[in-house]
Amino acid sequence: MASGCSELEAAIEVLVRNFYVYAARKGKYDKMNKKEFRKMVTQELQHVLTNTQNKEAANKLIQSLDADEDGKISFDEYWTLIGEIAKKLSTQMALQCQE
Ligand SMILES: [Ca+2]
């Protein structure tokens, strides 16, 4: 992306690029298989998600996100997770603002 982009634009680019970094490791570049997804949550989301090291917990998370039930995580399904994490963060921020 062109330099000089805003903080928000850069943040969105990070979110999008993160998906493709992991999805492109093996097989289809536009979907994360279970192994790629587990690696992504372990390496990138260990502070906002609990149990990221736990294979069963990660598989449960995949199941809950896998809307089309193909056993893989598409960009849209990944975005659902990002949205859920963002919502949690928003709730925390709202509480902090009330204090
Ligand atoms: Ca899917």
Side-chain angles (χ1 to χ4, degrees):
M1 199 178 268
S3 60
C5 59
S6 73
E7 207 178 338
L8 178 60
E9 289 163 337
I12 293 169
E13 193 192 341
V14 167
L15 290 169
V16 173
R17 190 187 294 135
N18 180 65
F19 175 82
Y20 288 102
V21 164
Y22 287 90
R25 288 186 174 204
K26 275 195 170 171
K28 285 192 160 185
Y29 74 94
D30 60 342
K31 288 192 176 186
M32 276 190 261
N33 63 28
K34 285 182 182 170
K35 208 174 167 185
E36 288 166 335
F37 182 80
R38 282 199 304 266
K39 196 162 186 92
M40 193 279 290
V41 294
T42 306
Q43 293 192 338
E44 310 294 344
L45 297 171
Q46 74 269 34
H47 301 106
V48 292
L49 295 177
T50 52
N51 261 344
T52 56
Q53 306 284 341
N54 181 318
K55 195 172 170 180
E56 260 181 54
N59 284 342
K60 260 192 193 164
L61 182 60
I62 292 170
Q63 259 183 1
S64 73
L65 294 170
D66 187 13
D68 64 359
E69 298 180 343
D70 69 348
K72 296 181 176 69
I73 300 299
S74 66
F75 183 80
D76 284 358
E77 291 161 351
Y78 161 79
W79 202 249
T80 301
L81 176 65
I82 298 298
E84 284 172 9
I85 294 169
K87 250 187 255 174
K88 259 193 238 172
L89 194 61
S90 164
T91 307
Q92 286 169 5
M93 279 186 187
L95 285 172
Q96 281 170 5
C97 290
Q98 281 175 9
E99 283 168 7

